[in-house]
Amino acid sequence: MPVSIKECCCFLKKIGNPRRIIHFALLASETSFSINEIEALHDLFERLSHAIIEDGLIHKEEFRLALFGDSSTHNLLADRLFDIFDIKKNGVIEFDEFVRSLSIFHPDAPESDKIEFMFRLYDLKHNGFIERDELKEMVLALLSEMNVDLSNDEVEAILDKTILDADLNGDGKIDLEEWKAFIPKYPSLLNNMTLPLLREITQAFPNFVLNTQVRDLEIVT
């Protein structure tokens, strides 16, 4: 049955901002999020992007503040995540980048995407390999975040074991294909790559209140 102009206008008025909904629908079709979740993420993004500099973009200081409650202290994990979220490499995180990057942590995201994201996180030199010094730097950062204090010998033992298991061709570094073969042997390494529900994402930001009003729409492709 044809829809009248009046009915279309009523529908557009009801949803408030049709361009935004279309934008959200497009993001939903390209990520693991529903439209409802993306609307919630947009509210979260607005809060984060105005925490220090009110320009609608997330700067590194705002990202650090959101994750660790401190905008000035250098944190390797926060800085590495920021660099990966900043897809355009222009020093800020835009909304689309925020959604696409967080999608990797969705329970429905492919495990292969999570493994590749983790590889990029550890590849500090951006040369397509995880070298021993990069692995050590990330291991020490993770231990620090968990408040775990290991001796240098214990850390070196972890590195030795990882390199032995993952470096299949014996060149002293780990490439992406070796990493893909290594991670499934130790699935617990991917635990932090999945946030079960959007509410868990919002719990990382105490000031955010989940309040969505748009119903999920079925996307036909």
Side-chain angles (χ1 to χ4, degrees), residues 19-35:
R19 287 188 179 180
R20 192 172 84 165
I21 299 305
I22 292 171
H23 183 202
F24 288 177
L26 179 61
L27 282 174
S29 71
E30 297 174 349
T31 67
S32 298
F33 290 115
S34 66
I35 296 176

Side-chain angles (χ1 to χ4, degrees), residues 44-58:
L44 173 56
F45 180 86
E46 285 296 300
R47 291 172 182 261
L48 297 182
S49 62
H50 289 78
I52 298 176
I53 303 172
E54 298 187 6
D55 61 357
L57 302 166
I58 297 179

Side-chain angles (χ1 to χ4, degrees), residues 142-182:
L142 289 168
L143 291 174
S144 176
E145 288 301 322
M146 295 185 293
N147 294 315
V148 175
D149 187 19
L150 297 182
S151 68
N152 186 63
D153 287 344
E154 290 172 318
V155 171
E156 291 298 326
I158 293 174
L159 300 179
D160 289 341
K161 174 64 174 173
T162 303
I163 295 294
L164 180 65
D165 287 353
D167 180 20
L168 300 179
N169 62 12
D171 63 356
K173 53 192 176 183
I174 305 168
D175 63 32
L176 179 57
E177 293 307 311
E178 291 173 326
W179 187 253
K180 289 178 179 179
F182 168 72

Side-chain angles (χ1 to χ4, degrees), residues 3-208:
V3 179
S4 68
I5 294 177
K6 183 178 180 180
E7 287 172 325
C8 287
C9 290
C10 288
F11 174 72
L12 293 178
K13 184 177 180 181
K14 187 175 181 179
I15 65 176
N17 188 336
R19 287 188 179 180
R20 192 172 84 165
I21 299 305
I22 292 171
H23 183 202
F24 288 177
L26 179 61
L27 282 174
S29 71
E30 297 174 349
T31 67
S32 298
F33 290 115
S34 66
I35 296 176
N36 200 44
E37 290 169 338
I38 290 175
E39 188 196 19
L41 287 175
H42 185 266
D43 290 342
L44 173 56
F45 180 86
E46 285 296 300
R47 291 172 182 261
L48 297 182
S49 62
H50 289 78
I52 298 176
I53 303 172
E54 298 187 6
D55 61 357
L57 302 166
I58 297 179
H59 295 255
K60 185 170 288 188
E61 295 81 6
E62 292 168 322
F63 197 73
R64 289 174 179 166
L65 180 65
L67 289 180
F68 300 106
D70 190 333
S71 63
S72 59
T73 302
H74 172 76
N75 184 291
L76 177 61
L77 293 178
D79 291 349
R80 288 299 299 132
L81 285 169
F82 182 90
D83 289 343
I84 296 176
F85 274 49
D86 177 18
I87 298 171
K88 294 181 179 178
K89 304 303 177 190
N90 58 357
V92 292
I93 300 173
E94 300 173 11
F95 178 61
D96 283 24
E97 295 174 314
F98 184 68
V99 172
R100 295 180 195 283
S101 298
L102 275 182
S103 180
I104 300 295
F105 296 86
H106 196 284
D108 295 337
E111 185 177 279
S112 59
D113 290 350
K114 297 176 186 291
I115 292 174
E116 187 168 344
F117 185 99
M118 194 175 179
F119 180 86
R120 293 167 58 202
L121 195 65
Y122 278 68
D123 180 15
L124 304 180
K125 299 176 184 176
H126 311 288
N127 62 0
F129 298 97
I130 300 174
E131 300 177 15
R132 187 184 181 93
D133 59 333
E134 295 172 306
L135 184 62
K136 183 174 184 177
E137 195 169 350
M138 286 298 295
V139 167
L140 290 174
L142 289 168
L143 291 174
S144 176
E145 288 301 322
M146 295 185 293
N147 294 315
V148 175
D149 187 19
L150 297 182
S151 68
N152 186 63
D153 287 344
E154 290 172 318
V155 171
E156 291 298 326
I158 293 174
L159 300 179
D160 289 341
K161 174 64 174 173
T162 303
I163 295 294
L164 180 65
D165 287 353
D167 180 20
L168 300 179
N169 62 12
D171 63 356
K173 53 192 176 183
I174 305 168
D175 63 32
L176 179 57
E177 293 307 311
E178 291 173 326
W179 187 253
K180 289 178 179 179
F182 168 72
I183 293 298
K185 299 177 185 177
Y186 304 93
S188 63
L189 292 174
L190 284 178
N191 286 349
N192 290 333
M193 291 301 301
T194 297
L195 299 172
L197 297 171
L198 181 60
R199 286 187 183 275
E200 290 201 16
I201 297 176
T202 62
Q203 284 171 5
F205 310 90
N207 292 329
F208 176 66

